[in-house]
Amino acid sequence: MTPELSKSMQMVAPGMQRERPIVLHVDDDIASLMMAEGALEDAGFDVIQAADGQEAIERFKEHEPDLIIMDAVMPVMDGFEAISTIRELSIGAHVPILMITGLDDLDSITRAYDIGATDFLTKPINFFILPHRVQYMLRSKLTADALRSSQSKLDNAQRIARLGNWDWCLCTNELSWSREFGRILGVEEGAGIATWAEFINCIEEPDRTNVRLLSEQSVEEKLPFNVEFSVVSRFDDSVRRIRLEAEPHAQESGEWAYMLGTIQDITERTNAQKQIHNLAYYDLVTGLPNRAQLTEQLRYTLKSSKRNDTKFAVLFLDLDHFKQVNDTLGHDAGDDLLLQVANRLTSVVRESDMISSNDNDPESQHTVARLGGDEFVVLLGVINRVEDAARVAERIAQSISVPYDIGSSTVTVTTTIGISVYPADGDDTESMMKSADVAMYHAKESGRNGYQFYSRDIHEQALSRFSLEADLRSAIENKELTLAFQPKVEMSTGRLAGVEALTRWTHPERGLMNPGEFIPLAEETGLIIELGRWVLRESCKQMQLWIEAGWPPMTIAVNCSSVQFTKSDVIEDINEAIQYSGLDPRLLEIELTESLLLQDGEKGIQILSDMKALGIQTSIDDFGTGFSSLSYLKRLPVDKLKIDQSFVKDLDKDSGDAAIVTAIITLSHNLNLTVVAEGVETQEQFDILRGFKCNEAQGYLISYPLDIEQFSLWLDSYREQILQKVSGL
Ligand code: C2E
Ligand code: CA
Ligand code: CA
């Protein structure tokens, strides 16, 4: 080696070539070394030499040559062992190595490649060709270096961006992916995810189905798609939020062959967004929605109330004397109190959820919010009646006034509540809030710890219905209700066919009230269940008493509300009434309205069958006002139909109702049902119905509903009439 040569042996960064690349030539054959040196130096290379493997390794470490020409068979250490050792060095992993083997020595060639040789040449070496071979090897080394460096840059970029890429072969379904893809999902290279289906299986439900469907659709329509989903990382079981982008690609032939795409871990970004959202929309002290969130919810509620024509209420609350707690016990105590108040509010509102007609509808949801300071707002998303808001306000006032444990002290606060009701008190979010606020100030003026509606009328209406409700409750408890009885007659013979029990209420101040005034209230408040139970027992008992007094047995019909069926075990109540009275069950008839059967057909059939099993009779009340399909009617185990009064009313006039009535009667007879006409007031109506072969009639023509004494008298005179009729025949 010449001294000039060593000068040019400067170190070079990987991927760049020295001006004169250095070739390390290892051979124990001096002649060979010399011949090669001449050829290579002429071709622009610097050459260093070694006589065996051992020396080659030292030379390599010392000079980091750009390429090695390595003889296979040498003393001390052969070429194979030297290559293995060099490949293990970090600087030797990628250096091109040209192995020189004996001619026809196939075994050596194979072995050379196995241990990491880049190429081979057989002896005798053609020294004219050698520099060219070296040249080309160096050139491809540069390409490989550039590729490796770009790969590593890409890998780093993907790692920094938490972005992995993949490609999915649509023919084989195989999936290949970048290193970052594996890191995001928490899978090792070569483990687990080799197909698209296996990838889909990593995704948590319900996202999984969604991604599957989207990808199938995208393949089908050859359109790009993107989607977000969650996976549980297999590295640390953390839940990661992932965004996937995908694009179909065609082969040169035009056939759709690949789906290419990326996945990006957006967990941190999503969490940050959530946090920002929480800060913007929730109150830090109580965790309740803040004013911004409330306004949004209010806007939403307003829209849906307009659309569905429903009512909602805003309750504006202010704690009385909160400032004193803050001043005497400090701000931490104040915060603690606010938190406890918030919790009580939330639980009162949750318990009051039943006031909302459709709890599952997000639009009808109730919201408890803190505006700041000691001001809270409860938004009742849907209310059926203004009293609902009053009831919640009363519960809130009651719940807030229970003493609080704050540290070692016990504190009592009360609240004043103003209520605005949509649509009466405002048409937009601002006026609804303002009305509630104004109402709250009125409430404060008229003494703390109370509630006040914005509008006087509504306030009075709520109070009056509230008190009526309380009255009805006590009327049921104190047995202020009575029964009226209205007979039904058989049209062909005039014989008494049965009697219907109708409830009456004599209110201490309002006087005699008809069911129309209190049954709907009883239904809305659930009091109907208690009321219905009482009617069943009393009706059965009264009929049994009459029978025991010697009257001929006749059926007693009792009305049942659909609320009794949906919210209580009416079969149990009927059974109980029969046992209690000792009445023959065949004499009890239950009247149900068509609407119950229309609400839930299958349930209706079930209930009617259960009634049949008890041995009682059933009839459909107010028939013709609903829209029962005839085929459905056929499946119903009922005994009777009662034609609604509205069809009977104008029968004697030229109204067209006659057609409906004859149709109902014909239909009923075909189905083997008894038909009863209700509300028969005139002889003319009676005669027409009899002409239509209607079976029974009920109405003022025969008798008004009567109390027990009146009915006993009526029965007496009726028997007289019948006896006269019978004897007169
Ligand atoms: P409904 O079952 O259709 O009862 C017949 C209604 O028509 C009764 O009114 C009766 O007084 C009235 N009426 C009878 N004949 C005539 C007539 O010729 N002309 C006219 N215009 N009306 C007649 P009432 O007693 O006011 O009851 C009204 C409704 O209240 C009943 O209608 C029934 O649906 C309900 N109701 C009454 N008592 C009870 C009860 O104990 N439980 C339940 N769930 N509902 C009841
Ligand atoms: Ca009835
Ligand atoms: Ca009726």
Side-chain angles (χ1 to χ4, degrees), residues 279-530:
L279 285 174
Y281 285 101
Y282 290 88
D283 169 46
L284 281 180
V285 177
T286 60
L288 290 178
N290 62 10
R291 188 188 292 268
Q293 166 92 330
L294 174 71
T295 310
E296 221 157 82
Q297 184 63 37
L298 196 54
R299 210 172 287 139
Y300 195 56
T301 305
L302 199 81
K303 241 204 228 151
S304 106
S305 302
K306 274 189 185 151
R307 190 174 51 236
N308 305 327
D309 203 11
T310 49
K311 290 196 191 80
F312 74 88
V314 176
L315 280 63
F316 201 108
L317 278 85
D318 185 288
L319 300 183
D320 305 320
H321 312 302
F322 172 72
K323 197 172 167 297
Q324 286 165 11
V325 177
N326 238 356
D327 291 349
T328 47
L329 297 178
H331 282 271
D332 285 347
D335 285 358
D336 188 0
L337 177 63
L338 289 172
L339 182 60
Q340 293 193 41
V341 166
N343 291 340
R344 290 189 193 179
L345 280 176
T346 315
S347 74
V348 168
V349 171
R350 198 182 311 119
E351 282 158 20
S352 311
D353 234 16
M354 50 187 247
I355 65 170
S356 149
S357 50
N358 37 355
D359 307 329
N360 298 330
D361 178 1
E363 292 188 0
S364 71
Q365 242 146 50
H366 310 318
T367 307
V368 179
R370 178 174 174 234
L371 296 190
D374 57 353
E375 287 179 345
F376 294 85
V377 165
V378 174
L379 166 65
L380 299 177
V382 171
I383 54 169
N384 295 323
R385 312 164 310 151
V386 288
E387 306 89 274
D388 295 336
R391 185 168 308 123
V392 175
E394 213 155 73
R395 281 200 207 127
I396 288 175
Q398 201 276 329
S399 153
I400 298 292
S401 67
V402 177
Y404 299 81
D405 289 330
I406 308 274
S408 54
S409 351
T410 303
V411 172
T412 309
V413 285
T414 52
T415 179
T416 312
I417 305 168
I419 308 172
S420 62
V421 178
Y422 176 86
D425 303 338
D427 197 29
D428 53 67
T429 56
E430 243 168 79
S431 55
M432 283 298 292
M433 288 289 284
K434 197 145 189 237
S435 299
D437 195 5
V438 169
M440 198 270 293
Y441 276 96
H442 284 312
K444 283 226 164 167
E445 277 162 20
S446 55
R448 288 164 195 264
N449 195 23
Y451 65 90
Q452 180 85 48
F453 282 88
Y454 175 72
S455 122
R456 266 243 86 73
D457 286 357
I458 291 183
H459 193 74
E460 256 137 42
Q461 189 191 334
L463 288 194
S464 130
R465 295 203 52 164
F466 228 17
S467 68
L468 187 63
E469 188 188 322
D471 292 350
L472 181 58
R473 203 178 291 274
S474 70
I476 296 168
E477 280 160 17
N478 303 332
K479 318 260 178 301
E480 279 170 30
L481 300 176
T482 53
L483 289 179
F485 299 92
Q486 190 179 33
K488 281 177 287 187
V489 296
E490 215 173 79
M491 297 194 99
S492 56
T493 60
R495 262 210 306 267
L496 185 63
V499 52
E500 176 173 4
L502 296 158
T503 307
R504 297 287 177 265
W505 176 18
T506 317
H507 189 275
E509 285 128 43
R510 301 175 198 230
L512 183 69
M513 289 173 73
N514 278 325
E517 294 171 77
F518 62 87
I519 293 284
L521 179 70
E523 286 180 331
E524 282 169 20
T525 53
L527 286 171
I528 191 76
I529 292 167
E530 196 57 34

Side-chain angles (χ1 to χ4, degrees), residues 12-311:
V12 178
M16 275 168 52
Q17 200 166 350
R18 293 176 173 103
E19 208 176 308
R20 283 178 69 88
I22 302 168
V23 175
L24 167 61
H25 188 188
V26 192
D27 203 326
D28 56 338
D29 174 7
I30 302 283
S32 194
L33 283 177
M34 281 172 59
M35 299 282 283
E37 184 176 21
L40 289 167
E41 293 205 325
D42 286 350
F45 299 100
D46 283 343
V47 181
I48 46 177
Q49 296 169 334
D52 59 58
Q54 188 74 58
E55 198 188 338
I57 293 166
E58 273 152 33
R59 289 274 139 144
F60 180 78
K61 287 184 187 161
E62 202 178 328
H63 299 289
E64 291 187 32
D66 298 287
L67 185 138
I68 304 172
I69 302 169
M70 180 78 75
D71 190 18
V73 188
M74 289 178 295
V76 188
M77 181 191 279
D78 68 9
F80 300 104
E81 202 180 336
I83 292 179
S84 300
T85 312
I86 288 171
R87 281 293 182 236
E88 271 165 26
L89 301 173
S90 62
I91 48 169
H94 302 297
V95 64
I97 303 177
L98 179 64
M99 188 92 187
I100 310 292
T101 63
L103 189 64
D104 300 336
D105 187 359
L106 270 178
D107 276 353
S108 291
I109 295 170
T110 317
R111 211 173 133 213
Y113 277 121
D114 284 348
I115 56 166
T118 316
D119 205 349
F120 74 95
L121 212 56
T122 52
K123 283 188 172 171
I125 298 172
N126 178 335
F127 293 102
F128 175 69
I129 293 289
L130 181 68
H132 293 280
R133 175 64 66 92
V134 167
Q135 189 78 58
Y136 287 117
M137 279 178 75
L138 276 176
R139 197 186 289 174
S140 47
K141 152 86 164 39
L142 283 183
T143 315
D145 281 351
L147 192 66
R148 236 188 339 271
S149 141
S150 131
Q151 179 63 49
S152 127
K153 278 184 204 153
L154 181 67
D155 193 42
N156 276 326
Q158 291 205 347
R159 185 178 47 73
I160 293 165
R162 308 280 289 134
L163 180 99
N165 70 294
W166 49 266
D167 69 76
W168 164 26
C169 171
L170 297 179
C171 311
T172 62
N173 260 324
E174 268 165 43
L175 186 76
S176 49
W177 33 268
S178 71
R179 191 173 294 174
E180 187 57 21
F181 178 102
R183 276 196 291 256
I184 291 171
L185 299 183
V187 286
E188 302 283 348
E189 244 162 298
I193 304 179
T195 63
W196 182 253
E198 281 169 354
F199 164 61
I200 295 268
N201 277 338
C202 298
I203 301 171
E204 297 290 293
E205 283 292 16
D207 293 342
R208 187 189 300 170
T209 312
N210 186 32
V211 177
R212 180 183 298 122
L213 292 178
L214 268 175
S215 62
E216 282 168 5
Q217 191 185 349
S218 157
V219 168
E220 173 116 5
E221 294 172 358
K222 295 159 190 71
L223 286 174
F225 75 100
N226 60 61
V227 63
E228 284 182 17
F229 56 84
S230 295
V231 295
V232 175
S233 165
R234 297 194 198 170
F235 282 155
D236 56 6
D237 285 343
S238 63
V239 176
R240 316 299 306 177
R241 192 74 190 158
I242 313 286
R243 180 177 175 83
L244 177 142
E245 307 263 357
E247 216 173 69
H249 277 258
Q251 270 173 336
E252 268 170 30
S253 62
E255 214 175 299
W256 294 96
Y258 285 98
M259 203 71 172
L260 301 183
T262 56
I263 60 169
Q264 187 167 25
D265 185 335
I266 54 167
T267 316
E268 269 77 40
R269 193 203 303 166
T270 320
N271 287 348
Q273 274 165 355
K274 251 188 230 158
Q275 218 170 338
I276 290 168
H277 181 270
N278 280 355
L279 285 174
Y281 285 101
Y282 290 88
D283 169 46
L284 281 180
V285 177
T286 60
L288 290 178
N290 62 10
R291 188 188 292 268
Q293 166 92 330
L294 174 71
T295 310
E296 221 157 82
Q297 184 63 37
L298 196 54
R299 210 172 287 139
Y300 195 56
T301 305
L302 199 81
K303 241 204 228 151
S304 106
S305 302
K306 274 189 185 151
R307 190 174 51 236
N308 305 327
D309 203 11
T310 49
K311 290 196 191 80

Side-chain angles (χ1 to χ4, degrees), residues 500-502 558-559 591 621-622 642 678 698:
E500 176 173 4
L502 296 158
V558 175
N559 292 287
E591 295 193 1
D621 208 352
D622 305 342
K642 295 185 82 176
E678 286 191 287
Q698 179 182 0

